[in-house]
Amino acid sequence: MAYEVAAPKYVRLAQTLQRRIEDGTYPPGTRVPSENQLVQSFGMSRPTVVRALELLKRDGWLESRQGYGTMVRGRPEVVEQKDQRGREALERDESQASGRLVQVERVPVPARVASALGLPKRAEVLMRRFLVEEGGEPVELVSSYFPAGMAEGTDLGVPEPLNGGMREHLEARKKVRFDHVTERVSARLPEDDEAAHLALPDGLPVLSVLVVACDASGRALQVSDVLLPADRQELEDTYRLN
């Protein structure tokens, strides 16, 4: 059964405000509408508006200034960084990449992925896991998750390396269009199978770069969890795909 669940209201509002910052509706240095104005304009509750603003502050789009209210900072500098692991995860040609496909199966959606995809906690998703290697050594583990409805009618469930990137494949087969990516970075201990793939000693944490790829409406099309040894550079990017 495929689930079609919209992103939370506060996420959709944050995405709308972000687009208005990018298109110049809210220029850098100006004040965004007040909470009351946003409540009235979008017909959303105050807690929803507050959560949306806090999300944009956290990601560097807005800042609070005492006596001035919430101000636009503009496009965060990290958005311009060239090291975009999200793009690599979406566009990697498995048939040509250095590494190997280690797992393709339907699994219960992890909690962190369920939230990003807007799925119920007990939903099942297709997971496609690729181990990136350099000189024969594992350096990165990429687990990509797809809602059941997104995987239907594609070759994503075939346990063989995919020719071309997942973005290219989905856009061709499902007639969707990827628009932007958000990367959320955190540190955690790996699951036993993740540690085994990366040949990590017990107790060594990993950096998790959760790559959420969306269409123009903000709907998440896929989520990739990129795992790196914890001493790698931390990144948090949001950028356009076209």
Side-chain angles (χ1 to χ4, degrees), residues 90-111:
L90 289 173
E91 299 182 355
R92 178 178 288 113
D93 185 337
E94 295 172 347
S95 65
Q96 302 295 325
S98 175
R100 54 194 173 91
L101 187 65
V102 295
Q103 189 176 358
V104 179
E105 65 176 306
R106 294 186 180 275
V107 298
V109 60

Side-chain angles (χ1 to χ4, degrees), residues 58-75:
R58 185 202 69 183
D59 290 347
W61 295 87
L62 303 175
E63 64 178 342
S64 294
R65 294 183 188 174
Q66 189 171 3
Y68 290 92
T70 302
M71 310 296 293
V72 177
R73 294 183 62 185
R75 194 174 177 82

Side-chain angles (χ1 to χ4, degrees), residues 7 10 30 38 69 89 97 165 174 178 185 191 233 236 241:
Y10 78 94
T30 62
L38 292 173
K174 302 297 291 187
F178 285 72
V185 180
E191 302 290 339
Q233 181 182 1
E236 181 169 334
L241 284 173

